[in-house]
Amino acid sequence: MIDRRQFVKRTCLGGLALYLDHWATSPAYGQDVIPPAPPIHVTEPAGIERSPLGMPGLFPGRVVEIADQQAIISNRVSQTVVQRILDHALCELTGVQDVRVAWSKFVEPKDIVGIKINPSGAPACCSSPEIVRAIVAGVQSAGVPLKNIHVYDRYAYEIDIGSYQTLVPLGVRVVGIQDRKLDASGYDSNIYCEANFFGEWETRSYMASIVSSDLTKIINVPTMKDHSAAGVTGCLKNLGYGTFNNVDRSHRRPFSFTDPLIGVMCSVEPLRSKAVLHIMDGMRMLWHGGPLSQNPKFIFPAGTLMVGTDPVAMDTIELEKIEAKRSKEGAPSVWSRDPKSLTENGGEFYEDATKNLYYRQPHHIAAAGKLGLGVSELKRIDHRILSAG
Amino acid sequence: MSNGDWPTLLGDNRRSGGQAARPWRAPQKSLWQSSVEGWVRGAPILRGGLLYVASLGGCLTAIDIRTGKMHWQFKTDASIHSTPSLNRKDVLVTCDDGKLYAIDSSSGAKSWEFASGAEIWSSPIVANDTIFFGDTAGSMQAVASIGHAMKWKRDLGGKIYATACVSGKQLFVSCGDANVYCLDAISGEIRWKAATGSGIDCSPAVANGSLFVGSLDFFFYAIDTTNGAVRWKYEAELGISSSPAVSGDIVVFGCKAGMLRALNTQTGKLLWSRFLGQAITAPPVISGDTVWIQSGVTHALNLADGKVLWWARLGYSLQSAPVVTESAVYLTSMEGDVYALA
């Protein structure tokens, strides 16, 4: 029973420590105007033995990337192509020939598997239902019954806009953790991150009960997107901010404490141990206006998938890709600290790639690396780019 | 079909909710504002001075339209995603607990219930003394409106989230397996099915021998009701979840890219389109010469040319539709607010 568990507190002085570190490693922070983050206190279950499958998982530092021009045509994702390239990438990641054996490295028949989608940005740019279906097929091939596969995210209404309920196979349950912004009933009151960023009245963010209690394994399906506060939203942001409530309090224009809060949240047990695989949906890459933009001029049909167990390595590669695309399109770097790029006008931000609402915090990825969640140094990342063949 | 029938979502092809057409007149003021327990996903319906609103908080609430005050509330144990329907003196509502409830419309007392087994998001519809609904386990069911016994149950190939539509002895069902099914309303046998390119979660409408339905494959279809052949199809920018409304030879629907369109029912030719700024997933309602739609902002548009006649930043909703009457317009928002405008 949940009330019989023991819980411990730890404090991430990481806020300050991680800043000191990236001041040393990132020239952009030499002129940083952002105040240091406050300490973040974590209360989590005691005595959990960290799973070897948990982040950074079975293959630290390894990222498998595969793209296929046929994967997205006329803004429609091909189920056939997605299934094929996902199987190919998963076999490469695990070093096996049989895709069922590959899936069996992450899930077993007794598991309750959660597929953590990213429906924010629906309908224009969100986790593709075709990829979700391909994952369901893979998990099922490893012996997990359909009734034990749950597709979930925090906001039911965003799932609704994406029509995920209709598009997943019969038997798979779709769960929106909360209907309302302030609905805390789907959260575990014993597991939380506590920090006071801007003097907000509620200083705690609680872990979703489906993560703390119901699921035994999580497969994370972020989308490849720019993020106005975090720099990019990828594996870490989708998992951390999609598991805890009350997270948008970490940014208040123009400042954001997504660094280090995203990484801290991902380090909290049992989330850390349960997240065993990350499949990044780059069918549509949103290179500006994230996470919610519907503006087609910023959505590039990249037709890409990335697969790995190390969310830090994957987000590091994602950051490189978003930066490259922004540079090609003439948009400023997500590392930019130019106050002239800031705007208070959301409409301007959604139309003009030179404008932003916050000082973005892409260093949240490296900060998560410092917490042991993965590898952020590019030269240490085993980045394998596959031909779609 | 008897006068008491409620054969499709919101009662008829215009999605009018059983209300008579209202000559165009812009709302000028708020008569009252109220709220219900929990968020609201479906649309309200109106009869006899009571507005019925179902909520994700599991409540069916009857509101007195003269005062905006709650007349009664019926509480279930699970969320209600669907829009209620009417059957004789009862309000019918389906629920995530897998039950169909019939609630006395004047007292709020439960008349009877029918347990289906799986979550139900589609609205019940009524024709020829039979109530039809689909569930998320992929079954279409027919229940006698008198006696409440199951008449038949038919398993289809995907989840059913959309409300079915009855025309004569034909029952049309949109399904998550990308097919539109035509079932025999008497026996439940499959007469034909028509394939689209993706799942379908909007409710079809039937007019002049054609079935109109949008798919998540981005296409809007006109399908021959006799054999399932596609008469024409129209490509939108994104998927279509907005259930169409039909009036005369005009069919109106929205798509997730935020475009509201009117097409000629015979040819599929575009008559007009209007970008409304946000994804449209709710059904439009046609009242007289006016189209009403909720998509972040509530809009009223001229049916003939799509010109925006009126809008208000009220009633943000995914699936709700206004109730338009001669004397007032009633709106619900996703957050559970209820407005009466006159």
Side-chain angles (χ1 to χ4, degrees):
Chain A
M1 294 294 289
I2 199 163
D3 55 358
R4 290 186 190 161
R5 291 180 294 172
Q6 298 294 308
F7 297 87
V8 292
K9 281 194 174 183
R10 65 179 160 97
T11 298
C12 293
L13 295 174
L16 183 58
L18 295 169
Y19 267 91
L20 289 171
D21 175 72
H22 66 64
W23 267 325
T25 57
S26 170
Y29 280 78
Q31 314 90 38
D32 216 334
V33 294
I34 302 170
I40 301 171
H41 307 285
V42 172
T43 299
E44 60 189 334
I48 284 191
E49 190 175 337
R50 189 173 297 160
S51 166
L53 270 65
M55 296 179 286
L58 293 179
F59 308 102
R62 183 178 298 173
V63 178
V64 178
E65 176 185 340
I66 186 164
D68 190 322
Q69 290 185 336
Q70 302 301 311
I72 180 165
I73 294 174
S74 301
N75 206 19
R76 294 166 176 88
V77 175
S78 164
Q79 186 70 60
T80 309
V81 174
V82 158
Q83 187 75 61
R84 177 168 48 77
I85 64 176
L86 176 59
D87 289 352
H88 189 181
L90 208 61
C91 288
E92 176 68 23
L93 176 72
T94 55
V96 301
Q97 299 283 321
D98 184 337
V99 71
R100 276 189 297 183
V101 175
W103 279 107
S104 297
K105 289 184 177 294
F106 304 108
V107 294
E108 50 190 334
K110 68 179 183 185
D111 275 324
I112 310 292
V113 178
I115 300 174
K116 169 64 179 77
I117 56 172
N118 179 7
S120 73
C125 193
C126 53
S127 301
S128 304
E130 294 81 2
I131 292 176
V132 175
R133 286 198 291 256
I135 294 169
V136 168
V139 171
Q140 193 182 11
S141 76
V144 180
L146 285 171
K147 68 180 174 62
N148 290 344
I149 302 173
H150 299 180
V151 173
Y152 77 98
D153 186 59
R154 284 184 55 208
Y155 293 120
Y157 67 90
E158 290 182 339
I159 292 174
D160 221 355
I161 294 174
S163 293
Y164 292 95
Q165 296 97 333
T166 307
L167 294 172
V168 299
L170 276 171
V172 174
R173 201 170 152 234
V174 179
V175 180
I177 296 169
Q178 60 187 95
D179 292 323
R180 293 171 291 167
K181 275 276 183 192
L182 298 177
D183 181 1
S185 60
Y187 294 86
D188 188 328
S189 59
N190 292 305
I191 306 176
Y192 53 88
C193 296
E194 184 166 20
N196 189 334
F197 295 112
F198 296 102
E200 61 271 22
W201 65 273
E202 172 56 280
T203 56
R204 289 182 181 179
S205 295
Y206 296 95
M207 181 180 283
S209 300
I210 189 174
V211 172
S212 66
S213 301
D214 301 345
L215 305 174
T216 58
K217 299 279 174 56
I218 294 170
I219 297 170
N220 185 23
V221 193
T223 46
M224 198 176 280
K225 293 199 285 196
D226 161 65
H227 192 283
S228 60
V232 295
T233 170
C235 300
L236 293 160
K237 169 84 174 34
N238 189 49
L239 202 57
Y241 275 34
T243 297
F244 288 84
N245 72 353
N246 191 28
V247 290
D248 52 6
R249 68 192 172 92
S250 73
H251 19 285
R252 185 169 297 178
R253 293 179 193 177
F255 304 120
S256 164
F257 292 112
T258 45
D259 175 13
L261 184 60
I262 290 173
V264 172
M265 287 179 160
C266 288
S267 75
V268 178
E269 292 290 1
L271 173 63
R272 179 174 182 172
S273 282
K274 290 181 178 179
V276 297
L277 182 63
H278 309 269
I279 297 169
M280 187 177 290
D281 181 347
M283 292 296 120
R284 303 172 180 91
M285 174 204 278
L286 178 65
W287 56 270
H288 178 76
L292 299 175
S293 176
Q294 303 290 300
N295 192 336
K297 73 182 180 184
F298 301 134
I299 300 172
F300 172 63
T304 299
L305 272 184
M306 290 202 294
V307 176
T309 65
D310 179 337
V312 177
M314 287 179 68
D315 286 1
T316 301
I317 300 297
E318 178 202 23
L319 177 59
E320 291 289 304
K321 289 181 162 300
I322 296 275
E323 276 287 86
K325 182 64 178 169
R326 288 179 63 86
S327 174
K328 186 177 175 185
E329 299 289 343
S333 164
V334 297
W335 295 93
S336 169
R337 290 293 180 274
D338 183 355
K340 290 181 190 155
S341 70
L342 295 174
T343 177
E344 289 285 320
N345 182 344
E348 189 176 33
F349 162 68
Y350 284 117
E351 281 296 327
D352 184 349
T354 68
K355 295 296 182 185
N356 199 34
L357 304 169
Y358 303 91
Y359 292 111
R360 290 182 177 90
Q361 296 288 9
H363 194 272
H364 78 266
I365 301 168
K370 293 291 177 187
L371 291 167
L373 293 167
V375 177
S376 66
E377 295 92 329
L378 267 175
K379 63 186 176 190
R380 290 182 52 218
I381 294 175
D382 174 15
H383 182 194
R384 303 180 182 184
I385 302 175
L386 303 183
S387 157
Chain B
M1 204 167 285
S2 67
N3 286 338
D5 285 350
W6 187 271
T8 187
L9 176 70
L10 292 170
D12 60 25
N13 278 332
R14 294 179 295 119
R15 309 290 181 202
S16 74
Q19 304 304 309
R22 161 189 166 120
W24 166 243
R25 190 173 69 254
Q28 302 292 324
K29 61 178 181 180
S30 171
L31 295 175
W32 48 259
Q33 181 178 343
S34 183
S35 63
V36 296
E37 188 179 327
W39 272 30
V40 173
R41 181 183 181 277
I45 58 169
L46 174 69
R47 183 170 69 181
L50 292 176
L51 187 73
Y52 303 99
V53 182
S55 73
L56 298 179
C59 296
L60 176 66
T61 305
I63 297 172
D64 186 327
I65 60 169
R66 292 169 304 174
T67 63
K69 306 260 190 238
M70 185 173 76
H71 186 65
W72 53 254
Q73 185 187 63
F74 176 80
K75 186 97 167 80
T76 68
D77 292 331
S79 295
I80 302 173
H81 284 85
S82 62
T83 294
S85 302
L86 297 172
N87 177 41
R88 297 192 174 86
K89 65 180 180 53
D90 290 330
V91 183
L92 300 177
V93 69
T94 51
C95 183
D96 283 14
D97 64 7
K99 291 179 180 173
L100 162 69
Y101 292 95
I103 311 300
D104 184 278
S105 57
S106 55
S107 70
K110 183 170 72 178
S111 300
W112 53 273
E113 67 177 41
F114 177 87
S116 133
E119 268 184 22
I120 313 170
W121 283 33
S122 72
S123 299
I125 56 169
V126 186
N128 301 320
D129 296 327
T130 306
I131 301 166
F132 303 92
F133 60 91
D135 66 33
T136 60
S139 295
M140 198 66 208
Q141 305 191 38
V143 175
S145 63
I146 301 167
H148 324 132
M150 178 186 284
K151 290 187 166 182
W152 54 259
K153 180 176 182 179
R154 175 67 51 198
D155 290 335
L156 302 179
K159 298 186 175 193
I160 302 170
Y161 281 95
T163 300
C165 176
V166 184
S167 178
K169 292 181 181 176
Q170 292 178 302
L171 176 68
F172 302 99
V173 186
S174 304
C175 190
D177 70 355
N179 290 305
V180 182
Y181 290 86
C182 174
L183 307 183
D184 184 304
I186 309 296
S187 67
E189 295 298 319
I190 297 173
R191 289 185 174 179
W192 53 255
K193 62 180 180 180
T196 73
S198 188
I200 311 173
D201 61 2
C202 80
S203 302
V206 174
N208 304 323
S210 286
L211 178 136
F212 301 98
V213 70
S215 168
L216 294 168
D217 70 359
F218 306 5
F219 282 100
F220 186 80
Y221 293 83
I223 295 171
D224 188 327
T225 56
T226 59
N227 56 17
V230 174
R231 286 181 165 162
W232 52 258
K233 61 181 185 177
Y234 184 95
E235 186 174 13
E237 297 82 357
L238 283 177
I240 300 165
S241 293
S242 162
S243 303
V246 183
S247 179
D249 58 359
I250 301 176
V251 57
V252 181
F253 66 97
C255 84
K256 291 189 180 184
M259 298 295 289
L260 187 73
R261 287 189 169 85
L263 308 181
N264 180 285
T265 57
Q266 297 299 318
T267 63
K269 184 182 171 191
L270 178 69
L271 302 174
W272 53 261
S273 63
R274 185 71 56 194
F275 179 62
L276 298 184
Q278 293 200 38
I280 301 173
T281 50
V285 167
I286 299 176
S287 180
D289 295 329
T290 311
V291 182
W292 299 78
I293 182 123
Q294 290 180 254
S295 65
V297 172
T298 302
H299 285 92
L301 304 94
N302 187 22
L303 176 62
D305 60 11
K307 181 183 173 191
V308 174
L309 303 170
W310 174 90
W311 61 272
R313 206 170 288 282
L314 289 174
Y316 177 76
S317 186
L318 297 181
Q319 287 294 323
S320 194
V323 173
V324 183
T325 73
E326 175 66 29
S327 55
V329 176
Y330 302 95
L331 297 171
T332 56
S333 75
M334 199 159 68
E335 293 85 352
D337 298 315
V338 186
Y339 306 92
L341 311 176

